[in-house]
Amino acid sequence: TLQGDQPPPVLPQDATRVVTLEQRYLNLPVKTGAPLRRMIVTVAGKPPREFDIELADGEPDWWAFMDVSSFTGQLATIKVSKTRQDSNGLRSIDQSDEIKGAQNLYRETLRPQFHFSSRRGWNNDPNGLVFYQGEYHLFYQHNPYGWSWGNMHWGHATSTDLIHWKELPAALYPDEHGTMFSGSAVVDWNNTAGFQTGEEKPLICIFTAAGSPFSQGLAFSNDRGRVWNKYANNPVLPHVAGENRDPKVVWYQPEKKWLMALYLEGNTYGLFTSSDLKKWEKMSEITIADTTECPEFFEIPLDGHRGETRWVFYGGNGHYLVGSFDGRKFTAESGPQPLHLGNSWYASQTFNDIPREDGRRILIPWGTFATPGMSFNQMMGIPVELRLRETSDGLRLLAYPVKELESLRAQAPYLLRAQPLLPGENPLAGVKGDLLDIVAELAIGQATELGFNLRGVPVTYDVATQQLGVKDQSATLKRVDGKIRLRLLVDRTSIEVFGNDGLLYLTLGTIVSGHDHSVGVYAKGGAATIDVLEVSELKSAWPP
């Protein structure tokens, strides 16, 4: 072996930088695909913010940001692992009252325009859906510092109408118990946990701390969700089994107690009860084949009559059971059935504390579709109202877009009156649009196939098999009195199909062509009839 005269290379060690925090944000340069480095930001007397980041030493792909407004005037030490002290990435971190590179925020090429997505970074499961004092709160699994999954925080956004969302600072940060995995939120109207300090009722988040092992904890807010404090005696439910996680908590009025549905392991979930959210007792277990994670558990009227209700239980993929609940045990009457079909939706959750006079059961799913090349990744599905109906196939959940979506319609819809739909004709020729909301009722007649062309994406209905397809996704849609009814929503990265008033809920994650804005409707094999066809172009839900 030949030995050279050169000294061994100096391996990168931890590098540090001390700054005085004078502005709202620390802007952090990110290069997606760069080596992950551990960054720790420490302010004297405060728990450190610690996370992995693909720190850009050269030109960044995008800028992540950390809101440090609560630390104004204090010294912060930024430490980065496996980094030279002269690192350009460390040196490039700067302060600003604005998010760096935000000139095109919400107008990026692949930004969904009427579905929620985070300003920067990754988002997945909706968490803590709760309504209080005129605001819908959407929390969500969030990596503020990367395009991919990791560093799980609870992101936070609010809305007064379920359509226009305002993103707030992250609500929950990783701590000594672990990163912040999924969970739920409630309004503690009776102050059962004893956290209330003023006139406002406490909002309480129940979350999984993904440490070793996983456990369940609480955080509370007395100012309508703006400032969050973790309960000093977390965890409130220590490890039970497996990777027990994703607590869904609801209030059970007949016995004035809290219920928690918790994923345990495999296909098994547990039901727990508490009087104060702090001490939990296991009551029973539920098993759903081919389903894991992210439980949902709620009561819903049957056929819209409040006097007769059922309970619904489902897991991450939306396979649901319908049954009864006696205060300790859930007994299934039917199911499992898929709530949603397609290639995108997962981990859907419904809102707690919707006012009784409203009466809706509103659901938001996670849209598991990537946005390559963007500074954000993934999205939420459009909020839908759930209804439970007795059908010829048994008890079924129907899902339909919330009425508030109609507020985005830019102008009066393009309306076709009742008319024949003949093979080779396209009554929508010349109609173009970017964001679309289409309502249609079509009578099959002699046709063997019906369909739409939505900006280059085919939607087809095979009359013989009663299969409705959206690109490479398909599902059964039975004719009703010789007709099918459809609601079609087209955004930059998704197409949602609601068939027969929501009995079919089918979604496709796809990057819609930025050049093809055409719309078409057709029949093959014979004439059909258009009974109703309205095409509305939607406005963006984001600020101009």
Side-chain angles (χ1 to χ4, degrees):
T1 303
L2 298 176
Q3 301 288 333
D5 294 331
Q6 297 298 321
V10 178
L11 297 177
Q13 303 295 317
D14 292 349
T16 60
R17 180 180 166 195
V18 178
V19 298
T20 300
L21 300 176
E22 298 174 332
Q23 294 175 287
R24 180 171 182 178
Y25 298 114
L26 283 180
N27 287 290
L28 314 173
V30 178
K31 183 71 174 179
T32 301
L36 279 174
R37 294 180 170 90
R38 194 71 173 171
M39 182 176 288
I40 303 174
V41 180
T42 305
V43 179
K46 305 292 184 182
R49 295 187 181 176
E50 185 172 353
F51 49 90
D52 295 321
I53 186 169
E54 298 162 308
L55 192 66
D57 276 325
E59 184 69 22
D61 290 333
W62 55 281
W63 291 83
F65 62 91
M66 177 187 295
D67 190 327
V68 292
S69 55
S70 60
F71 306 136
T72 300
Q74 301 184 59
L75 285 177
T77 300
I78 305 170
K79 182 168 73 172
V80 184
S81 68
K82 300 178 182 178
T83 301
R84 296 181 183 276
Q85 189 61 44
D86 61 354
S87 159
N88 185 59
L90 181 60
R91 187 168 55 248
S92 296
I93 296 171
D94 74 356
Q95 298 186 60
S96 173
D97 286 326
E98 305 294 333
I99 299 169
K100 196 163 185 174
Q103 298 88 344
N104 200 39
L105 183 62
Y106 299 129
R107 289 176 290 277
E108 302 93 337
T109 305
L110 298 183
R111 173 75 69 176
Q113 292 296 292
F114 57 92
H115 294 78
F116 176 81
S117 56
S118 187
R119 287 175 290 184
R120 292 282 199 274
W122 165 280
N123 72 256
N124 58 289
D125 307 1
N127 298 155
L129 303 188
V130 68
F131 180 87
Y132 179 67
Q133 295 287 58
E135 287 184 318
Y136 298 91
H137 291 262
L138 165 64
F139 302 89
Y140 52 93
Q141 292 287 276
H142 185 35
N143 180 1
Y145 310 114
W147 187 83
S148 301
W149 184 93
N151 300 317
M152 285 296 98
H153 295 56
W154 273 32
H156 187 195
T158 60
S159 174
T160 59
D161 64 0
L162 292 163
I163 302 300
H164 300 86
W165 294 95
K166 179 181 180 181
E167 191 170 336
L168 302 180
L172 302 181
Y173 293 83
D175 61 25
E176 68 274 18
H177 299 292
T179 52
M180 299 289 98
F181 274 26
S182 297
S184 52
V186 297
V187 182
D188 191 3
W189 295 102
N190 301 311
N191 195 29
T192 62
F195 292 142
Q196 185 172 346
T197 56
E199 293 298 319
E200 297 286 357
K201 298 299 181 182
L203 298 182
I204 300 180
C205 291
I206 308 94
F207 58 86
T208 295
S212 183
F214 286 19
S215 60
Q216 319 311 316
L218 302 179
F220 60 93
S221 171
N222 280 299
D223 64 353
R224 300 177 63 178
R226 272 52 183 182
V227 176
W228 290 90
N229 297 285
K230 289 178 180 169
Y231 177 44
N233 293 323
N234 282 335
V236 295
L237 181 58
H239 181 260
V240 178
E243 287 191 346
N244 50 193
R245 61 180 182 269
D246 312 331
K248 174 61 193 251
V249 173
V250 297
W251 178 252
Y252 186 58
Q253 181 61 28
E255 297 181 16
K256 293 182 172 52
K257 65 182 183 182
W258 298 102
L259 306 175
M260 176 194 291
L262 185 70
Y263 172 65
L264 298 180
E265 56 186 339
N267 308 128
T268 302
Y269 301 83
L271 283 178
F272 298 77
T273 184
S274 174
S275 61
D276 61 3
L277 295 167
K278 298 175 178 177
K279 301 180 185 67
W280 292 91
E281 169 199 347
K282 187 177 180 182
M283 299 186 296
S284 55
E285 292 187 354
I286 299 167
T287 299
I288 309 179
D290 302 319
T291 304
T292 63
E293 307 180 313
C294 303
E296 243 304 356
F297 189 46
F298 57 85
E299 189 176 19
I300 189 170
L302 175 61
D303 291 323
H305 302 298
R306 291 184 178 177
E308 185 176 1
T309 64
R310 296 290 190 275
W311 285 78
V312 173
F313 196 106
Y314 67 74
N317 62 5
H319 287 194
Y320 66 92
L321 302 171
V322 180
S324 60
F325 178 65
D326 65 4
R328 294 192 67 84
K329 183 179 179 181
F330 171 81
T331 302
E333 299 175 18
S334 67
Q337 300 289 338
L339 171 59
H340 41 69
L341 299 166
N343 69 350
S344 295
W345 284 179
Y346 192 76
S348 60
Q349 189 175 114
T350 69
F351 277 89
N352 281 334
D353 293 287
I354 296 289
R356 182 174 175 81
E357 57 270 23
D358 182 317
R360 292 182 293 176
R361 174 61 57 175
I362 298 171
L363 171 148
I364 294 179
W366 163 35
T368 65
F369 190 76
T371 51
M374 299 291 103
S375 57
F376 62 93
N377 194 10
Q378 315 287 299
M379 68 175 187
M380 298 300 171
I382 201 71
V384 297
E385 179 183 355
L386 297 182
R387 294 167 291 155
L388 182 64
R389 294 288 181 265
E390 182 72 64
T391 74
S392 58
D393 295 318
L395 294 172
R396 294 291 186 271
L397 283 173
L398 281 67
Y400 205 68
V402 294
K403 59 189 177 185
E404 289 88 344
L405 179 63
E406 297 173 14
S407 68
L408 292 182
R409 291 178 177 173
Q411 55 192 11
Y414 181 86
L415 176 63
L416 286 181
R417 301 188 183 278
Q419 61 184 272
L421 179 58
L422 302 176
E425 294 186 355
N426 174 20
L428 295 178
V431 176
K432 296 184 181 297
D434 180 14
L435 313 172
L436 298 170
D437 183 354
I438 299 173
V439 177
E441 183 175 297
L442 305 176
I444 303 299
Q446 302 304 309
T448 59
E449 181 179 312
L450 298 170
F452 288 84
N453 174 27
L454 304 178
R455 299 188 56 197
V457 178
V459 176
T460 61
Y461 183 71
D462 187 301
V463 174
T465 63
Q466 300 192 97
Q467 289 292 299
L468 186 137
V470 187
K471 205 171 181 178
D472 58 353
Q473 302 297 308
S474 64
T476 299
L477 180 64
K478 293 183 178 180
R479 297 185 293 278
V480 178
D481 298 327
K483 301 178 181 181
I484 59 171
R485 292 188 297 277
L486 297 173
R487 178 91 176 266
L488 309 168
L489 303 178
V490 182
D491 204 343
R492 302 279 172 81
T493 60
S494 66
I495 293 178
E496 289 158 282
V497 177
F498 301 86
N500 292 347
D501 305 314
L503 192 59
L504 172 67
Y505 182 17
L506 175 66
T507 61
L508 174 74
T510 187
I511 296 175
V512 179
S513 169
H515 306 289
D516 188 346
H517 291 85
S518 64
V519 184
V521 61
Y522 70 87
K524 291 182 178 180
T529 301
I530 295 172
D531 287 347
V532 175
L533 184 52
E534 298 179 0
V535 181
S536 299
E537 187 157 15
L538 300 181
K539 298 175 291 187
S540 173
W542 298 116

